[in-house]
Amino acid sequence: MNVRRKILAGYLVVACLVAATAATAWFADMYSARHAAAKEAAQVARGLGKDIALGLPVDTDGETPAPLFNRPKVLANYIERLHDSQHRDIVVVDTAKRILGDAVPENVGSLFDHDTGNEIGRTLADGESRVFVEQSVDYPAGIKQVVVPMRDSGDRIIGAIILEYTPLYDEMLGSARRAQIVILGVAAGAFLLVLLLGHLLARSLTGRITSLTTAVGVVRTGDYSHRVPADGDADEIDRLALAFNAMAEQLDSSAREILAKEYTDSILANAGEGICGVDPAGRIAFANTAAGRITGLGVDGLLGREAATLLPETGEVTLQRPDGTSVQVEYTIGEIEKAGRSIGAVIVLRDVSRQRALEHDLRHQALHDGLTNLPNRKLLLDRLEHALARARATGGPLAVLYLDLDGFKKVNDSLGHNAGDLLLRTAAERLTGALRPQDTVARLGGDEFAVLLEDADPATVERLARDCLTVLSRPFLIHNREAQVSVSIGVVPDAAVYADADEVLRNADVAMYAAKDQGKNRFLTFETQMHEQLLNRLDQETRLRDAVHRGELRLHLQPVVGVPAGQMAGAEALVRWQDPDQGLRMPGSFIPLAEETGAIVEIDRWVLLEACRTVKRWQDEDPATAPAWVSVNLSAANLEVTDLTDQVAYALSSTGLPARCLVLELTETVLMRDLAVTSVRLDELRELGVKIAIDDFGTGYSSLGYLRDIPVDILKIDRSFIDGMAGNGRQQELVNAVIQLGHTLGLRVVAEGIEDASQLNLLTVMGCKFAQGYHLGRPEPAGDLYTRLSTPALNPG
């Protein structure tokens, strides 16, 4: 049993004692009331017995009272008066229990037989008063009676008086009940109050004890920070709480000290850095596991060793391990002082071998090209600055070559970026092999390289430049396919005369662009006037970028004529640039520049929208002469535009041209550079309802078998196949095979560049359905072509 239950049990016993005391008082009061009622009734009965036995008191002097005992009539009157006044029965009997007088006259003379306990007989025998309950037919519930002896003047018992005292008993018991109710209320209140006080006291005591018990449990878990509230030393429990708090404080302090030591030991043991403690004599007195691992000596091998012998240098040292390996160690020494006196030191060692190697790699990556591992522009400029300083100091010759691969973009677009990367690495290897060991070959980015030539006279510079042309003009074997590129080289032979490295490299770049403008695959030495040419090129780039927005582009249409009928079936949209400075310019004079600068995307978008608008208006105004469809060329850059399909859909919806009337042309090299991605893009376009055509078929790297897997509708045979076809059986067989395969696959085959009737006749025999060329339909401004074909007199149909 716990303390709370014991306290409650004690208070419950007290409450029960209070209840028992109240019950005792209850019964004592009831007993007193009963006894008093009987005593009072006996006293009244004795008075009545004296009146009956000795006579009623007289009110005249000298008068002698006469007993009523032997005067039946007077006795009857006396009893009747008492009955009427006091409303209770009085019975007078003689010693033989014969009724002498009764409130009921019929009972006079009979024996009193309602005394079942013979209380009357015993009173007559010993003279003591008694009480009993009379039960009869008239009083089935019973009436309370008191019987007292009736004595004569000689104190002899001559009979008995039986007096009913039920009314008196009820009256006195009623008075007692009021007192009993008060006792009961007071006892109940006291009982509840005792229980409440017991509950509150038990709750208070057990709460404080429970708090102590809980605190002990918390301490047992290792948490020594828990404290018990204490109100001074008011009682024993408060003093116990204060003692507990003091004990917990001491335990907490001890635990912190132990934990700090454990943490310190654990940190030292598991630290990634090596830690050694050195005693005042300079010997290693402590070493953790990391220190033993870093030095390769182990903990036991370090203890007792001279620290100065192990680490003779300051800051960083290369240690030779017993196993023959070496490690680069960086360390710091911290002196330990106590009371102003040195008592040792702490050495922290860190293995920085990987960090130093990484730093070396990062420096290398920062100064070298990641693809070819050649020096990059930053390292080249640094070496060029130092070379310029040396050349100015010694007067030695210094030259720089600037190289740019011709045709690299075509390889990259047709065979993919992986093939382009392989070509660049191979080109770097060829350049390095063609130059001298002391020459610096650097990759500047993209397909541009530079070469720093020190101590190279003009003849040597020219020879090395030609060697570069030679090694890069040889075919490259890329993924089992041959790729052909050339190189344009700009040469600055007297680099030391220029202000700095940037100016030297810029002049070499200008010379390289001049070489490209003169036909590529050559080298040119820098001349001052080349700056003007470069400025002209930059100006042309700027004007070309603004040509679309200034409205300088012109749409020309080239008819596609049905064979052999000669009627125009469709038209190909071509672009011309109305240059304010140079007049109307053909595509060959500005499209390559547009592709290099990215302006081709805007130009293609303008041609697409303008061609759709022009043909739709022609179909609405003169459907009889209008072309059934128009073809528009898409450059490689357009395939990389994510919203190409949306642009085509917008051109169709904004102009109202049906999708079946639009043909999008892509060259074979563009189509084949990433067949998986290209096929997905072409499928999206074909879902719009437009047609797809392969332009210049036969000039790329595909074969006829690829046509079965490419989602196209039209095949345009390159004019190189058509030229020289007459008299060349092999050429005719190839063209015929293409036409027949196109028919098998359901493709529309178009022959480009028809120049004479013999070519047209051969194509007709082979089954070609459409042709376009100078004689059959040369490009014209769209408005001129519409005017000519819409005029009946000029309509060739």
Side-chain angles (χ1 to χ4, degrees):
M1 181 181 296
N2 58 30
V3 175
R4 179 184 177 88
R5 292 182 178 178
K6 288 181 180 178
I7 295 175
L8 289 177
Y11 273 88
L12 182 61
V13 170
V14 173
C16 290
L17 289 177
V18 171
T21 301
T24 301
W26 174 288
F27 288 109
D29 192 61
M30 182 177 293
Y31 175 78
S32 297
R34 290 175 180 174
H35 183 72
K39 186 176 181 180
E40 179 70 18
Q43 189 67 26
V44 172
R46 287 190 184 96
L48 293 177
K50 288 182 179 180
D51 288 344
I52 293 173
L54 300 179
L56 296 172
V58 297
D59 53 3
T60 305
D61 294 337
E63 184 180 358
T64 303
L68 303 180
F69 178 77
N70 52 4
R71 297 163 62 188
K73 189 172 180 178
V74 175
L75 180 60
N77 290 334
Y78 178 76
I79 292 173
E80 183 177 0
R81 285 199 307 274
L82 288 175
H83 182 271
D84 291 339
S85 62
Q86 298 184 8
H87 302 288
R88 53 185 174 183
D89 292 340
I90 302 173
V91 180
V92 181
V93 297
D94 57 14
T95 55
K97 297 173 56 175
R98 186 177 299 279
I99 298 174
L100 300 179
D102 193 346
V104 181
E106 290 81 2
N107 293 334
V108 176
S110 61
L111 291 175
F112 191 90
D113 56 0
H114 302 304
D115 178 16
T116 57
N118 195 28
E119 301 294 335
I120 298 175
R122 287 190 290 171
T123 298
L124 291 174
D126 56 17
E128 297 293 332
S129 61
R130 287 178 171 79
V131 295
F132 65 93
V133 178
E134 177 186 352
Q135 288 184 329
S136 62
V137 177
D138 296 332
Y139 304 103
I143 59 176
K144 298 185 182 302
Q145 302 280 27
V146 60
V147 54
V148 298
M150 186 173 57
R151 299 176 184 273
D152 58 8
S153 57
D155 200 27
R156 292 176 298 176
I157 296 174
I158 60 175
I161 300 298
I162 303 168
L163 176 65
E164 177 190 2
Y165 72 94
T166 298
L168 179 62
Y169 175 83
D170 292 340
E171 181 180 352
M172 298 191 75
L173 196 61
S175 299
R177 280 198 180 95
R178 287 190 292 273
Q180 288 174 335
I181 290 174
V182 174
I183 292 172
L184 181 61
V186 173
F191 181 84
L192 295 176
L193 181 60
V194 169
L195 289 181
L196 178 61
L197 290 175
H199 171 72
L200 294 177
L201 180 60
R203 181 178 180 182
S204 174
L205 292 176
T206 56
R208 296 163 67 191
I209 294 173
T210 300
S211 178
L212 275 169
T213 305
T214 302
V216 171
V218 172
V219 169
R220 288 180 61 187
T221 64
D223 181 6
Y224 305 123
S225 62
H226 191 74
R227 300 292 182 270
V228 179
D231 187 14
D233 59 349
D235 54 21
E236 289 78 0
I237 296 179
D238 281 331
R239 288 194 288 275
L240 180 60
L242 291 174
F244 172 84
N245 290 341
M247 178 192 69
E249 188 71 30
Q250 186 172 359
L251 288 174
D252 189 29
S253 177
S254 300
R256 290 179 184 274
E257 293 176 359
I258 295 172
L259 188 60
K261 186 177 184 305
E262 291 179 351
Y263 278 167
T264 301
D265 294 343
S266 178
I267 290 171
L268 290 175
N270 297 286
E273 296 180 336
I275 302 175
C276 296
V278 181
D279 63 15
R283 296 183 179 275
I284 297 176
F286 166 83
N288 67 350
T289 304
R293 183 185 69 252
I294 292 172
T295 60
L297 297 171
V299 175
D300 294 337
L302 286 172
L303 296 178
R305 185 180 290 268
E306 290 282 350
T309 303
L310 179 66
L311 304 171
E313 300 177 14
T314 303
E316 188 168 323
V317 64
T318 300
L319 294 180
Q320 296 297 325
R321 291 170 170 167
D323 61 1
T325 62
S326 62
V327 60
Q328 195 75 14
V329 176
E330 181 184 72
Y331 64 94
T332 58
I333 301 177
E335 190 174 357
I336 303 176
E337 294 184 354
K338 186 175 183 180
R341 183 174 58 88
S342 176
I343 61 173
V346 173
I347 301 176
V348 179
L349 305 95
R350 189 160 59 96
D351 182 357
V352 294
S353 301
R354 295 182 61 184
Q355 179 180 338
R356 296 295 178 261
L358 179 60
E359 290 172 356
H360 178 270
D361 291 342
L362 291 176
R363 285 195 297 270
H364 182 82
Q365 293 174 16
L367 299 174
H368 290 77
D369 173 53
L371 179 64
T372 63
N373 204 34
L374 293 176
N376 60 11
R377 179 184 291 270
K378 183 177 181 180
L379 181 55
L380 175 68
L381 289 173
D382 180 71
R383 292 185 180 180
L384 181 54
E385 288 287 359
H386 287 85
L388 287 172
R390 287 192 296 270
R392 289 166 185 156
T394 62
L398 179 65
V400 172
L401 309 182
Y402 200 109
L403 304 85
D404 184 89
L405 299 181
D406 306 321
F408 172 75
K409 187 175 186 302
K410 180 179 179 181
V411 176
N412 206 39
D413 290 342
S414 60
L415 299 182
H417 294 291
N418 290 335
D421 291 345
L422 180 57
L423 189 148
L424 290 174
R425 286 194 293 268
T426 305
E429 294 172 0
R430 291 185 182 182
L431 284 174
T432 303
L435 296 168
R436 302 173 303 174
Q438 68 267 31
D439 299 331
T440 298
V441 181
R443 182 185 177 214
L444 305 181
D447 59 350
E448 293 182 344
F449 298 85
V451 179
L452 173 60
L453 303 174
E454 294 188 73
D455 297 324
D457 55 35
T460 302
V461 173
E462 182 176 350
R463 176 179 59 82
L464 293 176
R466 293 189 183 279
D467 290 343
C468 292
L469 288 172
T470 301
V471 297
L472 294 179
S473 63
R474 295 200 304 265
F476 290 80
L477 185 62
I478 308 296
H479 301 325
N480 297 322
R481 294 186 180 185
E482 283 192 357
Q484 190 76 40
V485 298
S486 60
V487 63
S488 298
I489 305 176
V491 181
V492 176
D494 49 352
V497 302
Y498 298 104
D500 53 28
D502 286 328
E503 185 178 2
V504 173
L505 206 59
R506 182 171 60 251
N507 292 339
D509 188 17
V510 171
M512 181 272 294
Y513 273 109
K516 279 187 175 292
D517 289 340
Q518 291 190 19
K520 304 178 181 179
N521 193 26
R522 68 193 63 223
F523 72 88
L524 287 181
T525 300
F526 173 75
E527 296 177 359
T528 306
Q529 65 269 21
M530 290 181 178
H531 273 301
E532 298 180 2
Q533 298 172 1
L534 180 61
L535 292 176
N536 291 334
R537 175 185 172 88
L538 295 176
D539 177 64
Q540 182 175 251
E541 289 181 9
T542 303
R543 291 188 291 106
L544 180 59
R545 289 183 182 277
D546 296 335
V548 175
H549 307 291
R550 291 200 300 259
E552 296 173 2
L553 298 183
R554 300 292 182 264
L555 177 69
H556 283 209
L557 295 177
Q558 181 177 20
V560 179
V561 180
V563 176
Q567 294 287 342
M568 183 177 68
E572 179 177 2
L574 302 174
V575 65
R576 303 290 186 265
W577 178 17
Q578 188 65 48
D579 189 344
D581 296 337
Q582 302 180 23
L584 188 66
R585 297 178 59 178
M586 295 296 104
S589 66
F590 66 89
I591 290 298
L593 181 61
E595 290 178 342
E596 290 181 14
T597 60
I600 189 65
V601 175
E602 285 292 326
I603 293 175
D604 283 353
R605 188 177 301 177
W606 180 89
V607 173
L608 173 65
L609 192 62
E610 190 66 20
C612 292
R613 180 183 297 111
T614 300
V615 172
K616 174 59 178 173
R617 184 172 65 248
W618 191 345
Q619 290 177 346
D620 291 342
E621 295 177 358
D622 191 358
T625 63
W629 45 267
V630 61
S631 62
V632 178
N633 290 284
L634 289 181
S635 64
N638 274 283
L639 285 180
E640 299 175 358
V641 177
T642 57
D643 63 343
L644 173 62
T645 305
D646 294 336
Q647 292 181 19
V648 174
Y650 171 77
L652 294 172
S653 61
S654 61
T655 61
L657 182 71
R660 68 178 184 277
C661 297
L662 177 62
V663 177
L664 299 178
E665 294 188 10
L666 299 95
T667 62
E668 185 181 5
T669 53
V670 170
L671 192 65
M672 297 302 298
R673 66 174 183 171
D674 192 343
L675 189 57
V677 175
T678 304
S679 296
V680 173
R681 184 60 55 85
L682 295 183
D683 284 335
E684 294 176 356
L685 293 171
R686 295 184 76 194
E687 288 179 1
L688 296 177
V690 303
K691 306 298 183 182
I692 304 297
I694 300 180
D695 194 11
D696 301 333
F697 181 77
T699 61
Y701 299 93
S702 67
S703 66
L704 298 180
Y706 282 112
L707 294 176
R708 303 181 186 273
D709 303 319
I710 301 176
V712 298
D713 305 283
I714 301 173
L715 189 63
K716 297 182 68 175
I717 305 174
D718 186 70
R719 68 178 301 159
S720 63
F721 285 83
I722 306 301
D723 292 340
M725 185 174 60
N728 188 333
R730 176 59 182 161
Q731 195 82 345
Q732 294 179 21
E733 290 178 3
L734 181 59
V735 173
N736 185 61
V738 172
I739 294 174
Q740 297 307 316
L741 179 61
H743 291 170
T744 302
L745 298 178
L747 305 180
R748 180 191 303 163
V749 180
V750 180
E752 294 185 292
I754 307 302
E755 296 184 350
D756 53 42
S758 61
Q759 292 177 343
L760 182 60
N761 292 333
L762 281 173
L763 292 173
T764 303
V765 173
M766 294 176 184
C768 185
K769 300 299 183 182
F770 300 93
Q772 63 186 73
Y774 179 79
H775 293 295
L776 297 178
R778 65 178 181 272
E780 301 180 47
D784 295 347
L785 181 63
Y786 169 61
T787 301
R788 181 170 62 82
L789 296 181
S790 299
T791 303
L794 299 177
N795 192 333

